[in-house]
């Protein structure tokens, strides 16, 4: 390869760097052999089934569906819509850390999970991730009457009970008081550099005039994304339990 092909225009460790020829190299991306990708299918340990679906054909945006172990054909489960982390420039629900965590969540909380593989920066503007996530929510909502395009959502998702992470709202959002839903759980880690943003969101939401309840859970002694980077941590199980308790709370 010509040396000029290795010249970079921007470097943003630990996220990515951009070469002069337009290529983007992500520092945490899966290798070319795909060893960090988890195939969809049946998880023999938990009985969770997964498959990938195209959400937005015009842009190619897809998602991974997680269905907990089914004990009866007419069984319905609460629906969790998940938008993965990674600073809008890394990650995918198809990567093993996200996949494995969501398998655990689907199994222990007994919920259907759909995780959106939104388009990433810098190939796409930052707002594209929000636009993809919102368009995915609209696509998901078309299944609320059981007549959507995806059979698993029609058959197994209970649209009377649904949960969404806090991706589409910010502390400065003037519409927080109008947010749908009756409860929010904010989870942070004690040593996470973004912990204060979670705390700030809790306080802002409580003062916004929103009529729902706001829960807060802090994982002591852990840093950012520990449940993905160190899934064997003894703090992962309490985090999942807090989420399960939140989901099952009346």
């Amino acid at each position: 390869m010509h040396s000029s092909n290795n010249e970079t225009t921007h470097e943003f460790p630990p996220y990515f760097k951009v070469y002069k020829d337009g290529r983007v190299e992500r520092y945490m991306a899966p290798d070319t052999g795909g060893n960090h990708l988890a195939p969809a299918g049946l998880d023999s340990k938990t009985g969770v089934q997964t498959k990938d679906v195209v959400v937005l054909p015009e842009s190619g945006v897809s998602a991974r569906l997680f269905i907990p172990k089914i004990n009866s054909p007419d069984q319905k489960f609460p629906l969790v819509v998940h938008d993965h982390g990674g600073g809008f420039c890394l990650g995918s629900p198809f990567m093993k850390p996200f996949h494995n965590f969501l398998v655990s969540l689907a199994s222990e909380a007994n919920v259907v999970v759909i995780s959106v593989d939104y388009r990433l920066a810098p190939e796409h503007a930052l707002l594209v991730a929000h636009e993809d996530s919102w368009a995915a929510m609209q696509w998901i909502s078309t299944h609320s009457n059981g007549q959507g395009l995806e059979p698993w959502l029609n058959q197994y998702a209970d649209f009377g009970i649904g949960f969404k992470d806090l991706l589409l709202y910010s502390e400065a959002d003037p519409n927080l008081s109008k947010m749908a839903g009756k409860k929010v759980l904010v989870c942070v880690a004690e040593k996470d550099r973004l912990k204060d943003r979670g705390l700030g969101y809790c306080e802002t939401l409580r003062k916004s005039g929103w009529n729902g309840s706001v829960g807060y859970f802090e994982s002591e002694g852990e840093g950012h994304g520990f449940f993905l980077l160190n899934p064997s941590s003894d703090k992962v199980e309490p985090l999942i339990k807090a989420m399960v308790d939140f989901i099952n709370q009346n």
Side-chain angles (χ1 to χ4, degrees):
M1 179 180 290
H2 196 277
S3 59
S4 62
N5 291 335
N6 290 322
E7 295 183 32
T8 60
T9 59
H10 300 85
E11 295 201 30
F12 299 97
Y15 302 107
F16 61 85
K17 57 184 173 182
V18 182
Y19 292 93
K20 279 190 173 182
D21 62 7
R23 289 179 296 123
V24 176
E25 179 181 336
R26 288 181 169 82
Y27 294 109
M28 296 177 66
D31 61 31
T32 54
N35 291 330
H36 294 133
L37 296 179
L42 175 66
D43 182 76
S44 58
K45 181 179 179 180
T46 63
V48 171
Q49 300 179 69
T50 60
K51 76 172 177 178
D52 301 329
V53 296
V54 175
V55 174
L56 306 174
E58 61 274 16
S59 62
V61 172
S62 58
R64 178 158 288 186
L65 269 167
F66 300 75
I67 305 293
K69 186 176 181 180
I70 300 165
N71 296 313
S72 63
D74 58 350
Q75 194 169 5
K76 294 277 190 179
F77 306 92
L79 175 64
V80 173
V81 181
H82 175 261
D83 291 285
H84 67 79
F88 304 109
C89 60
L90 293 174
S92 163
F94 313 133
M95 293 178 68
K96 282 186 177 180
F98 292 104
H99 173 90
N100 292 343
F101 179 77
L102 294 176
V103 164
S104 296
L105 180 62
S107 174
E108 296 190 36
N110 218 30
V111 293
V112 171
V113 180
I114 181 167
S115 183
V116 183
D117 191 34
Y118 53 80
R119 288 172 288 176
L120 302 176
E123 295 92 335
H124 305 279
L126 284 175
L127 282 177
V128 168
H130 288 258
E131 292 168 354
D132 287 348
S133 297
W134 177 241
M137 285 289 286
Q138 293 175 306
W139 178 84
I140 292 166
S141 71
T142 64
H143 298 77
S144 61
N145 61 0
Q147 301 298 316
L149 294 175
E150 173 45 50
W152 278 13
L153 287 177
N154 291 330
Q155 184 172 357
Y156 300 116
D158 182 354
F159 282 83
I161 311 174
F163 303 92
K164 177 74 171 66
D165 73 22
L166 302 161
L167 176 66
L168 298 180
Y169 294 91
S170 70
E171 294 175 41
D173 194 324
N175 296 315
L176 280 178
S177 62
K178 300 177 182 178
M179 188 171 67
K182 297 180 179 179
K183 56 183 180 176
V184 165
L185 174 66
V186 177
C187 299
V188 301
E190 181 185 14
K191 297 182 178 180
D192 189 348
R193 63 189 182 279
L194 300 178
K195 171 186 170 181
D196 289 345
R197 295 184 66 181
L199 282 169
Y201 183 80
C202 275
E203 304 231 347
T204 302
L205 186 56
R206 286 169 177 156
K207 297 175 182 177
S208 68
W210 180 60
N211 292 323
S213 63
V214 183
Y216 177 81
F217 181 83
E218 182 174 320
S219 297
E220 296 180 359
E222 294 291 354
H224 187 73
F226 75 94
F227 56 94
L228 300 173
L229 302 174
N230 183 23
S232 62
S233 166
D234 60 4
K235 300 299 174 60
V236 174
E237 190 60 33
L239 171 62
I240 292 181
K241 184 180 184 302
M243 298 172 72
V244 171
D245 291 345
F246 168 78
I247 290 171
N248 291 331
Q249 173 189 352
N250 294 324

